[in-house]
Amino acid sequence: MLTLKVITEETDRVIRGLEKKHFKGAQESIAKVIELNDKRRGAQNQLDKNLAEVNQTSKTIGMLMKEGKKEEAEIAKQRVAEIKEVNKAIQAEMDQAAEDMQNLLYTIPNVPYDEVPEGVGADDNKVEKMGGMETELPKDALPHWELAKKYDLIDFDLGVKITGAGFPVYKGQGAQLQRALINFFLDEARKSGYTEIMPPTVVNAASGYGTGQLPDKEGQMYHCEVDDLYLIPTAEVPVTNIYRDVILDEKQLPIKNCAYTQCFRREAGSYGKDVRGLNRLHEFSKVELVRIDKPEHSKQSHQEMLDHVEGLLQKLELPYRILRLCGGDMSFTAALCFDFEVYSEAQKRWLEVSSVSNFDNYQANRLKCRYRDENKKTQLCHTLNGSALALPRIVAALLENNQTPEGIRIPKALVPYTGFDMIK
């Protein structure tokens, strides 16, 4: 969440940034935060004054008792009792203001960086780069859901029977391709200096609040109500929360972690052609990169993550493009975000496969994730994360773009992992 220092000292910039994200009621929300903060501070100041008076009066009582002035001492005692009673009301007022302010701060998104373009939605995102190999498909090219059926790779109907729509069953070479991609992505991350983590796939509410998935207005997370636990939408949540309430040493930074997990998303409101096959699922596999860094190094870390993801797509021989997201299409918590999309030749559309985000100190402030610099001063870290990569649409693009009359070709980089170079 935004720090009070930024809100109070850079109010106009914060409001402009929130308006760039099209956050409704930005001015009113920030004004309310400042009002509640002033109320909290005013109550704290009054408590401090009252406490000083109690301490001074208590000393006076002792002196009066020694001097035998019992009546005056009793009056002083009554005054102390009155102040303490008043303090209870002031403390309650202060606690309520602090709680209201905290709850309000949870609902205010991160402020985008200046380099984030203006825009309302996906159509306003800026194409930064295009790359990869052009694909020439046979005239009778099939979409991946038809290929999956033809080669018995993925059974969507069986997933509906077992669970419901959006929970496919991978079979035979389809399952092998999934496992190959997971191992390939993890190995590439390890070569780039990432430490692999195997975290839980359910988290408590504190973890959800820590990374900004909660409060979950859209109801996109699956909630296990009896135990008050949440199925993770991404490994970002458990891995970043490793550093909740932690003070790191500056020498430990940057921290580079990666994790493969299943991810669960309700995808409420999704419908139509965009949800066919693997395009949009409720459960899917993903390898995630998470970095914890110093403020002055986080932009370099972000670029290194972007280079890593681009390298994966190049090795998979897929046509891709990199988008700089506009303010209106960015996530709640991101300060700067780039999306990677691969082109599906059979569907004639771009499929998002990764978002690589810098959150500045927004998540770190929620998490109380800090580091101690060389001057022993404690500062908030910066957090970053990115998919490297999400599997469903990668699988869709690999199947569609590599179909030939003989079968589906496997990219050279994956052959050591699959054990076969062609799906027949």
Side-chain angles (χ1 to χ4, degrees):
M1 64 192 166
L2 299 175
T3 64
L4 288 172
K5 180 179 172 64
V6 166
I7 288 174
T8 55
E9 295 181 4
E10 303 177 52
T11 306
D12 290 342
R13 182 182 74 83
V14 168
I15 292 172
R16 286 197 305 272
L18 294 177
E19 289 174 345
K20 182 187 275 190
K21 270 198 171 180
H22 299 271
F23 175 62
K24 294 180 181 179
Q27 203 158 4
E28 295 81 356
S29 293
I30 294 303
K32 187 63 177 178
V33 168
I34 293 172
E35 177 190 329
L36 289 167
N37 188 45
D38 289 344
K39 188 175 182 180
R40 179 187 63 83
R41 291 177 63 187
Q44 183 65 67
N45 290 337
Q46 189 59 53
L47 278 176
D48 292 342
K49 288 179 183 178
N50 289 356
L51 182 59
E53 184 178 347
V54 166
N55 291 338
Q56 184 59 46
T57 305
S58 296
K59 291 178 183 178
T60 302
I61 291 170
M63 293 172 60
L64 291 171
M65 292 296 288
K66 286 180 181 179
E67 295 171 4
K69 300 178 180 179
K70 292 185 179 181
E71 188 175 338
E72 291 181 37
E74 285 301 320
I75 294 172
K77 286 180 181 179
Q78 288 178 8
R79 175 58 182 160
V80 168
E82 289 171 3
I83 294 174
K84 287 183 176 179
E85 198 61 35
V86 168
N87 281 356
K88 289 181 183 178
I90 295 174
Q91 182 70 51
E93 181 182 334
M94 185 178 76
D95 291 345
Q96 188 62 56
E99 182 182 347
D100 291 345
M101 182 178 67
Q102 184 81 355
N103 289 336
L104 180 55
L105 285 169
Y106 278 139
T107 68
I108 299 173
N110 200 0
V111 173
Y113 286 156
D114 291 341
E115 55 262 43
V116 172
E118 298 280 355
V120 177
D123 291 341
D124 300 314
N125 294 333
K126 180 183 176 183
V127 178
E128 292 281 307
K129 184 178 181 180
M130 299 186 70
M133 302 172 63
E134 292 187 8
T135 306
E136 291 186 12
L137 297 184
K139 293 181 180 179
D140 57 348
L142 300 173
H144 68 270
W145 51 87
E146 294 292 344
L147 292 167
K149 185 176 181 180
K150 177 180 178 180
Y151 293 98
D152 198 22
L153 304 174
I154 307 167
D155 195 323
F156 295 100
D157 294 333
L158 189 55
V160 171
K161 172 187 175 181
I162 296 170
T163 309
F167 295 89
V169 175
Y170 297 85
K171 303 165 62 179
Q173 288 183 305
Q176 288 177 265
L177 179 58
Q178 278 275 112
R179 181 159 46 82
L181 283 164
I182 292 164
N183 288 331
F184 170 64
F185 293 153
L186 287 173
D187 281 354
E188 290 296 307
R190 177 179 50 78
K191 291 174 187 176
S192 295
Y194 289 87
T195 299
E196 184 177 351
I197 304 292
M198 190 173 287
T201 51
V202 292
V203 294
N204 55 32
S207 294
Y209 276 96
T211 43
Q213 277 69 28
L214 293 176
D216 185 22
K217 296 188 192 69
E218 293 80 22
Q220 292 292 1
M221 288 208 293
Y222 285 100
H223 185 201
C224 308
E225 295 181 4
V226 173
D227 300 302
D228 194 23
L229 297 173
Y230 295 83
L231 275 65
I232 63 168
T234 165
E236 167 201 348
V237 182
V239 175
T240 311
N241 269 278
I242 291 172
Y243 306 98
R244 174 158 44 94
D245 298 320
V246 171
I247 298 178
L248 299 161
D249 190 277
E250 185 175 5
K251 294 177 182 178
Q252 294 176 262
L253 302 174
I255 288 171
K256 300 166 65 176
N257 289 331
C258 67
Y260 152 70
T261 63
Q262 291 297 97
C263 303
F264 304 88
R265 298 182 184 179
R266 293 187 63 242
E267 296 291 0
S270 298
Y271 60 92
K273 64 178 182 179
D274 290 347
V275 303
R276 290 291 303 273
L278 298 171
N279 287 345
R280 195 172 295 276
L281 301 177
H282 294 303
E283 180 182 1
F284 60 95
S285 302
K286 183 153 71 90
V287 172
E288 192 80 356
L289 306 180
V290 173
R291 286 205 189 198
I292 313 293
D293 210 343
K294 297 184 294 185
E296 60 268 27
H297 191 257
S298 73
K299 288 194 175 183
Q300 181 178 331
S301 273
H302 198 187
Q303 185 58 54
E304 290 172 5
M305 294 171 76
L306 293 170
D307 293 342
H308 179 85
V309 174
E310 184 175 8
L312 295 177
L313 294 175
Q314 290 171 343
K315 289 177 181 179
L316 291 176
E317 305 169 32
L318 288 170
Y320 66 90
R321 67 180 183 181
I322 306 173
L323 304 177
R324 183 190 295 263
L325 298 197
C326 69
D329 200 35
M330 285 174 64
S331 72
F332 186 86
T333 49
L336 179 64
C337 181
F338 293 87
D339 272 6
F340 285 80
E341 297 180 335
V342 295
Y343 191 68
S344 162
E345 189 65 46
Q347 296 182 68
K348 301 297 181 185
R349 59 190 294 256
W350 290 95
L351 306 173
E352 180 199 329
V353 294
S354 176
S355 290
V356 184
S357 302
N358 188 336
F359 303 106
D360 200 88
N361 64 14
Y362 185 87
Q363 286 184 333
N365 191 33
R366 284 174 170 246
L367 294 158
K368 298 296 178 280
C369 172
R370 295 156 290 176
Y371 74 97
R372 191 172 282 109
D373 64 22
E374 58 184 11
N375 299 316
K376 305 301 180 184
K377 183 180 178 182
T378 301
Q379 300 187 46
L380 288 172
C381 297
H382 279 198
T383 62
L384 307 93
N385 83 272
S387 308
L389 287 159
L391 271 70
R393 294 171 189 167
I394 287 290
V395 170
L398 285 175
L399 296 179
E400 293 179 2
N401 292 2
N402 291 303
Q403 58 184 298
T404 71
E406 294 76 33
I408 300 171
R409 185 183 65 84
I410 300 297
K412 290 181 181 178
L414 275 186
V415 173
Y417 293 91
T418 58
F420 51 84
D421 59 7
M422 185 77 74
I423 295 173
K424 298 183 178 180

